[in-house]
Amino acid sequence: MTAELNKPLIPSLLLSASLLLPSLLLTGSAYAEPLFSSRAWQAPDGVDAAIEVVHSDTRTSGGFSALWVSPNCERLITLSDYSQHSWRSDLTRSGWFEAEINFDQSGNLEGVTSIRSGQLTDLDGKIVPGAVESMGWDGRGFLISFDDRGDIYRYAGSEPSTDLFANRPVVAYQGENLAGINRGLEALTVLADGRIFALWEKSRRAKHAAAWLISGEQTEQLEYETDLNPSGATTLADGSLIILERQFLGGDSGTHVRLVHLPEKSLNGSGEVLKGSDKPLKGRTVFDVRSKLLDNFEGISACRKDGRELLFAISDNNGDWPRVFQGSNPQSTLLLMIELNR
């Protein structure tokens, strides 16, 4: 069964692909060509199929927290958030990984082919030390937000290419850090009219997450209603949004993952939420699953292929930290594809 936005649903998650990104040698700001591998993953009820991404060395590959997919669904870019605040000092910071998305003759997802990878350049020309959380394309470059600041970088260019990451970015938006260490600007998407919608991570007990609606030099501060934590956002073809939310449930309980649909009118002043109103943004849940099989999903991106609207989602394995402590539930990198409105 596939997802429809006009009624409650459990969308069909179709077979996606893998990104085995082994221990890579640094050559300046770029890695050597990575290799690919994957293995079958047992999806929970309501999920048709999925693939686990298998890393040969989680020091150099993993921690995928931001995702961009080309409008025609042919290519993806994912970013690692391996952070300067991490307990592991040997992690490769701020890696970017580009891959081609492969489909068979019937239009079914068949695999992913590695193109190249590297590291993000910072304002000073050095490598970004970590904490990358979300990304989007605004027609003038890639926008990237962070886990430890309110600034949004732009890697400027007229066409979306990973070549842009070798250039020094500019600060596209400079904002106050509302959260502090490891509770940052988790979700970012560019609206159809060019405005930026961004969401902050919140405390577990809070019922609202801080939201920014950025237009040029002006910022409208809103609240987004949720009991989970927003971790990603993407804009659909009709201008509406999908918000990715998740919460680790603790122990062997797994992870709570939810997709929320937010109509465009909620953000243009013509809907229920008016400019200057203190009424929080509230979307409609279109996918809601609690499972020990799910993981820490942090990246989401929409695209269109052959008249179909597709969502891709990727999880952050945090460097698979439980293995260090011989934990019973090592984290995984999972890559999923959701087809909407069929």
Side-chain angles (χ1 to χ4, degrees):
M1 183 175 71
T2 53
E4 297 179 14
L5 295 180
N6 59 1
K7 62 183 179 180
L9 51 92
I10 296 180
S12 174
L13 300 184
L14 303 177
L15 177 63
S16 184
S18 65
L19 294 169
L20 172 56
L21 304 168
S23 180
L24 306 172
L25 298 177
L26 288 176
T27 57
S29 63
Y31 301 138
E33 185 73 14
L35 300 177
F36 279 42
S37 179
S38 66
R39 61 189 177 203
W41 179 68
Q42 181 61 51
D45 291 343
V47 176
D48 289 341
I51 287 294
E52 180 180 3
V53 178
V54 183
H55 306 281
S56 65
D57 188 343
T58 55
R59 293 172 299 177
T60 54
S61 167
F64 299 156
S65 63
L67 182 67
W68 175 85
V69 176
S70 62
N72 60 7
C73 304
E74 292 183 357
R75 188 165 53 103
L76 69 79
I77 300 170
T78 184
L79 306 179
S80 171
D81 72 346
Y82 282 165
S83 173
Q84 61 264 48
H85 308 301
S86 172
W87 45 267
R88 285 179 63 172
S89 62
D90 60 346
L91 299 178
T92 297
R93 312 296 177 184
S94 306
W96 57 258
F97 305 90
E98 182 178 5
E100 178 184 315
I101 304 173
N102 303 316
F103 298 86
D104 64 21
Q105 293 183 350
S106 299
N108 297 315
L109 188 58
E110 189 173 56
V112 171
T113 302
S114 170
I115 299 175
R116 53 182 178 167
S117 55
Q119 288 173 283
L120 297 173
T121 303
D122 210 335
L123 298 172
D124 58 4
K126 299 179 181 179
I127 292 172
V128 174
V132 178
E133 283 300 327
S134 62
M135 68 185 299
W137 175 261
D138 71 347
R140 294 182 293 163
F142 282 115
L143 298 174
I144 291 177
S145 73
F146 300 89
D147 201 25
D148 59 353
R149 71 200 83 165
D151 297 344
I152 297 174
Y153 285 6
R154 177 184 287 114
Y155 291 83
S158 59
E159 297 293 335
S161 167
T162 51
D163 289 340
L164 305 183
F165 296 141
N167 302 325
R168 295 191 185 191
V170 297
V171 178
Y173 176 80
Q174 188 171 25
E176 179 187 1
N177 185 354
L178 300 183
I181 293 175
N182 202 31
R183 192 176 289 164
L185 203 52
E186 290 281 329
L188 177 156
T189 189
V190 179
L191 306 183
D193 61 8
R195 290 178 297 167
I196 301 170
F197 179 72
L199 285 166
W200 287 83
E201 189 171 358
K202 65 178 186 62
S203 66
R204 192 179 186 93
R205 293 183 180 180
K207 297 301 180 182
H208 300 93
W212 282 348
L213 192 55
I214 303 168
S215 179
E217 299 297 323
Q218 297 184 339
T219 301
E220 185 175 359
Q221 296 201 22
L222 304 169
E223 287 189 324
Y224 172 73
E225 184 175 323
T226 178
D227 56 339
L228 303 185
N229 242 319
S231 59
T234 190
T235 303
L236 301 180
D238 65 0
S240 63
L241 306 185
I242 290 290
I243 310 299
L244 171 64
E245 303 177 352
R246 54 90 174 93
Q247 193 83 45
F248 178 59
L249 300 176
D252 292 329
S253 299
T255 305
H256 187 178
V257 176
R258 184 161 62 199
L259 296 179
V260 175
H261 180 240
L262 192 65
E264 183 182 21
K265 67 180 182 179
S266 297
L267 301 172
N268 63 16
S270 63
E272 296 179 355
V273 180
L274 302 178
K275 185 174 179 61
S277 172
D278 59 359
K279 187 174 182 179
L281 297 168
K282 185 177 181 180
R284 178 171 56 86
T285 299
V286 295
F287 177 66
D288 195 347
V289 172
R290 295 171 175 85
S291 173
K292 64 182 180 180
L293 298 177
L294 293 174
D295 216 298
N296 182 34
F297 283 94
E298 293 202 1
I300 190 166
S301 186
C303 61
R304 294 185 67 86
K305 177 178 174 58
D306 300 328
R308 299 176 297 155
E309 188 153 32
L310 308 177
L311 290 175
F312 286 84
I314 200 163
S315 66
D316 174 3
N317 69 347
N318 286 308
D320 199 6
W321 64 266
R323 291 190 189 277
V324 176
F325 303 106
Q326 297 182 343
S328 58
N329 290 308
Q331 290 188 257
S332 301
T333 301
L334 306 173
L335 185 61
L336 313 176
M337 193 183 84
I338 304 168
E339 183 174 355
L340 298 172
N341 298 328
R342 185 172 67 181

